[in-house]
Amino acid sequence: MESICVRPAIADDAAAVTAIYAHYVTNSLATFEEDVPAIEEMAQRIDHARAVGLPFLLACRTATGEVIGFGYCTSYRARSAYRFTVEDSVYVHPEACGRGAGRLLLTGLLGACSRAGIRQVVAVIADTADSASVELHRRLGFTDAGRLTAVGYKHGRWIDTIRLQRALDVDQPG
């Protein structure tokens, strides 16, 4: 099995991140985004995550440094009462799926969120024939938190979302 390392993303990684994400935007239901963001937009997303203290991580081949996946967390909702809850997203290059990068990324996100004082992580996953993302989250302690029916429309079809949630071990804010 190849060696994979996880590291924080920087704005200079935006081209590699955009290349992976473009596949999912264009060819899948994994994201409800319908237009591939520009590299500059992705650089801003990376910088924003870092600025607000949330993780944006890369999975890289240890031998070459090639980016094979990324994961990040965003605020769950804008209202201040939600400030201790985030939503996670993980994307792995299609040719690198099934090699452990997704698990490493999600594990890294959970650890970084715990250290940042986040109490809850929510996953919103499109309900498609591919259950890999749901199973990954369940293996890492996420539990079912509900379903929203026909909330997304992409590639000519309505898509449900599955919601999963995991509590993190952090102290209650004072």
Side-chain angles (χ1 to χ4, degrees), residues 3-162:
S3 179
I4 300 169
C5 63
V6 173
R7 68 169 175 83
I10 58 172
D12 288 346
D13 296 313
V17 169
T18 302
I20 292 168
Y21 191 54
H23 165 80
Y24 291 97
V25 171
T26 305
N27 302 304
S28 82
L29 302 172
T31 175
F32 285 2
E33 196 155 8
E34 295 182 286
D35 297 313
V36 177
I39 293 170
E40 296 78 17
E41 166 66 19
M42 194 60 75
Q44 290 174 359
R45 293 179 189 186
I46 293 168
D47 283 343
H48 176 75
R50 293 169 53 113
V52 299
L54 294 175
F56 198 121
L57 303 176
L58 302 180
C60 304
R61 288 191 168 101
T62 303
T64 64
E66 177 189 3
V67 177
I68 59 170
F70 67 97
Y72 61 94
C73 289
T74 57
S75 297
Y76 177 65
R77 295 283 185 264
R79 292 194 169 94
S80 65
Y82 290 113
R83 69 189 172 278
F84 299 104
T85 302
V86 298
E87 181 178 338
D88 78 88
S89 296
V90 174
Y91 297 92
V92 176
H93 191 288
E95 295 174 4
C97 288
R99 298 182 189 160
R103 183 180 186 89
L104 288 171
L105 285 165
L106 187 51
T107 300
L109 292 175
L110 295 172
C113 285
S114 183
R115 289 187 297 278
I118 299 300
R119 293 185 49 87
Q120 299 287 335
V121 181
V122 174
V124 180
I125 302 170
D127 188 11
T128 66
D130 182 4
S131 64
S133 186
V134 171
E135 293 308 314
L136 169 65
H137 282 80
R138 286 181 178 149
R139 282 193 308 271
L140 290 179
F142 284 73
T143 58
D144 290 3
R147 168 186 294 276
L148 296 176
T149 305
V151 293
Y153 186 81
K154 186 175 176 184
H155 298 313
R157 67 181 265 207
W158 289 101
I159 306 120
D160 296 355
T161 58
I162 298 168

